[in-house]
mmCIF file of all heavy atoms in Angstrom:
data_model
loop_
_atom_site.group_PDB
_atom_site.id
_atom_site.type_symbol
_atom_site.label_atom_id
_atom_site.label_comp_id
_atom_site.label_asym_id
_atom_site.label_seq_id
_atom_site.Cartn_x
_atom_site.Cartn_y
_atom_site.Cartn_z
ATOM 1 N N PRO A 36 -24.988 4.543 1.491
ATOM 2 C CA PRO A 36 -24.958 4.010 0.193
ATOM 3 C C PRO A 36 -23.965 2.820 0.129
ATOM 4 O O PRO A 36 -23.199 2.583 1.041
ATOM 5 C CB PRO A 36 -24.484 5.174 -0.716
ATOM 6 C CG PRO A 36 -23.728 6.070 0.233
ATOM 7 C CD PRO A 36 -24.383 5.918 1.541
ATOM 8 N N LEU A 44 -9.883 6.282 -3.409
ATOM 9 C CA LEU A 44 -8.690 6.938 -2.831
ATOM 10 C C LEU A 44 -7.481 5.927 -2.853
ATOM 11 O O LEU A 44 -7.774 4.693 -2.835
ATOM 12 C CB LEU A 44 -8.942 7.402 -1.394
ATOM 13 C CG LEU A 44 -9.852 8.609 -1.137
ATOM 14 C CD1 LEU A 44 -9.913 8.863 0.318
ATOM 15 C CD2 LEU A 44 -9.204 9.808 -1.872
ATOM 16 N N ALA A 61 -10.916 -5.961 3.215
ATOM 17 C CA ALA A 61 -12.342 -5.427 3.166
ATOM 18 C C ALA A 61 -12.405 -4.335 2.089
ATOM 19 O O ALA A 61 -13.382 -4.313 1.298
ATOM 20 C CB ALA A 61 -12.697 -4.854 4.510
ATOM 21 N N GLU A 79 11.248 -6.339 5.010
ATOM 22 C CA GLU A 79 10.774 -7.714 4.718
ATOM 23 C C GLU A 79 9.327 -7.867 5.123
ATOM 24 O O GLU A 79 8.529 -8.441 4.393
ATOM 25 C CB GLU A 79 11.593 -8.704 5.434
ATOM 26 C CG GLU A 79 13.092 -8.821 4.931
ATOM 27 C CD GLU A 79 13.942 -7.664 5.498
ATOM 28 O OE1 GLU A 79 13.501 -6.977 6.407
ATOM 29 O OE2 GLU A 79 15.030 -7.509 4.928
ATOM 30 N N VAL A 132 -5.610 11.276 7.434
ATOM 31 C CA VAL A 132 -5.372 10.121 8.323
ATOM 32 C C VAL A 132 -6.633 9.467 8.849
ATOM 33 O O VAL A 132 -7.590 10.208 9.232
ATOM 34 C CB VAL A 132 -4.464 10.473 9.568
ATOM 35 C CG1 VAL A 132 -3.014 10.764 9.052
ATOM 36 C CG2 VAL A 132 -5.026 11.664 10.334
ATOM 37 N N VAL A 186 -34.602 8.574 26.534
ATOM 38 C CA VAL A 186 -33.620 7.489 26.754
ATOM 39 C C VAL A 186 -33.140 7.614 28.208
ATOM 40 O O VAL A 186 -32.716 8.609 28.708
ATOM 41 C CB VAL A 186 -32.408 7.648 25.797
ATOM 42 C CG1 VAL A 186 -31.341 6.615 26.112
ATOM 43 C CG2 VAL A 186 -32.886 7.441 24.381
ATOM 44 N N THR A 190 -26.785 0.026 27.675
ATOM 45 C CA THR A 190 -25.863 -1.033 28.136
ATOM 46 C C THR A 190 -24.985 -1.458 26.949
ATOM 47 O O THR A 190 -25.389 -1.349 25.824
ATOM 48 C CB THR A 190 -26.649 -2.233 28.707
ATOM 49 O OG1 THR A 190 -27.276 -2.931 27.595
ATOM 50 C CG2 THR A 190 -27.639 -1.827 29.733
ATOM 51 N N TYR A 199 -2.719 -14.767 29.584
ATOM 52 C CA TYR A 199 -1.893 -13.750 30.172
ATOM 53 C C TYR A 199 -0.417 -13.929 29.724
ATOM 54 O O TYR A 199 0.150 -15.061 29.821
ATOM 55 C CB TYR A 199 -1.955 -13.885 31.683
ATOM 56 C CG TYR A 199 -1.031 -12.851 32.387
ATOM 57 C CD1 TYR A 199 -1.306 -11.532 32.341
ATOM 58 C CD2 TYR A 199 0.101 -13.298 33.065
ATOM 59 C CE1 TYR A 199 -0.467 -10.559 32.974
ATOM 60 C CE2 TYR A 199 0.932 -12.365 33.671
ATOM 61 C CZ TYR A 199 0.653 -11.027 33.637
ATOM 62 O OH TYR A 199 1.486 -10.148 34.240
ATOM 63 N N ALA A 214 -7.884 -3.804 29.206
ATOM 64 C CA ALA A 214 -9.158 -4.007 28.579
ATOM 65 C C ALA A 214 -9.771 -2.757 28.084
ATOM 66 O O ALA A 214 -10.404 -2.716 27.013
ATOM 67 C CB ALA A 214 -10.039 -4.813 29.546
ATOM 68 N N VAL A 220 -13.213 0.667 24.811
ATOM 69 C CA VAL A 220 -13.456 1.823 23.961
ATOM 70 C C VAL A 220 -14.728 1.712 23.158
ATOM 71 O O VAL A 220 -15.472 2.659 22.959
ATOM 72 C CB VAL A 220 -12.221 2.172 23.114
ATOM 73 C CG1 VAL A 220 -11.927 1.019 22.136
ATOM 74 C CG2 VAL A 220 -12.442 3.480 22.357
ATOM 75 N N ASP A 249 -7.609 -5.399 33.772
ATOM 76 C CA ASP A 249 -8.011 -6.612 33.073
ATOM 77 C C ASP A 249 -9.513 -6.839 33.051
ATOM 78 O O ASP A 249 -10.049 -7.672 32.279
ATOM 79 C CB ASP A 249 -7.284 -7.852 33.554
ATOM 80 C CG ASP A 249 -7.499 -8.212 35.074
ATOM 81 O OD1 ASP A 249 -8.331 -7.484 35.653
ATOM 82 O OD2 ASP A 249 -6.834 -9.079 35.533
ATOM 83 N N THR A 272 -14.996 -14.384 27.717
ATOM 84 C CA THR A 272 -15.712 -13.990 26.515
ATOM 85 C C THR A 272 -17.150 -13.649 26.873
ATOM 86 O O THR A 272 -17.884 -14.468 27.405
ATOM 87 C CB THR A 272 -15.674 -15.043 25.460
ATOM 88 O OG1 THR A 272 -14.298 -15.340 25.094
ATOM 89 C CG2 THR A 272 -16.406 -14.637 24.191
ATOM 90 N N PRO A 274 -21.109 -11.617 25.876
ATOM 91 C CA PRO A 274 -21.994 -11.683 24.662
ATOM 92 C C PRO A 274 -21.720 -10.590 23.596
ATOM 93 O O PRO A 274 -22.224 -10.779 22.505
ATOM 94 C CB PRO A 274 -23.416 -11.525 25.338
ATOM 95 C CG PRO A 274 -23.226 -11.931 26.704
ATOM 96 C CD PRO A 274 -21.869 -11.534 27.153
ATOM 97 N N LEU A 346 -14.161 14.656 15.863
ATOM 98 C CA LEU A 346 -12.877 14.563 16.631
ATOM 99 C C LEU A 346 -13.042 14.909 18.102
ATOM 100 O O LEU A 346 -12.424 14.270 18.925
ATOM 101 C CB LEU A 346 -11.856 15.534 15.948
ATOM 102 C CG LEU A 346 -11.448 15.124 14.545
ATOM 103 C CD1 LEU A 346 -10.606 16.237 13.899
ATOM 104 C CD2 LEU A 346 -10.662 13.814 14.543
ATOM 105 N N ALA A 365 -5.201 1.768 37.199
ATOM 106 C CA ALA A 365 -4.404 1.144 36.098
ATOM 107 C C ALA A 365 -3.192 1.983 35.819
ATOM 108 O O ALA A 365 -3.170 3.200 35.913
ATOM 109 C CB ALA A 365 -5.245 1.039 34.882
ATOM 110 N N ARG A 367 -0.835 4.121 33.874
ATOM 111 C CA ARG A 367 -1.054 5.013 32.792
ATOM 112 C C ARG A 367 0.168 5.247 31.906
ATOM 113 O O ARG A 367 1.297 5.230 32.420
ATOM 114 C CB ARG A 367 -1.552 6.358 33.385
ATOM 115 C CG ARG A 367 -2.900 6.232 34.048
ATOM 116 C CD ARG A 367 -3.210 7.553 34.745
ATOM 117 N NE ARG A 367 -3.334 8.660 33.791
ATOM 118 C CZ ARG A 367 -4.422 8.955 33.117
ATOM 119 N NH1 ARG A 367 -5.504 8.242 33.228
ATOM 120 N NH2 ARG A 367 -4.470 9.960 32.307
#
Side-chain angles (χ1 to χ4, degrees):
L44 286 180
E79 293 77 14
V132 289
V186 174
T190 70
Y199 179 68
V220 62
D249 61 6
T272 300
L346 293 171
R367 293 172 61 84

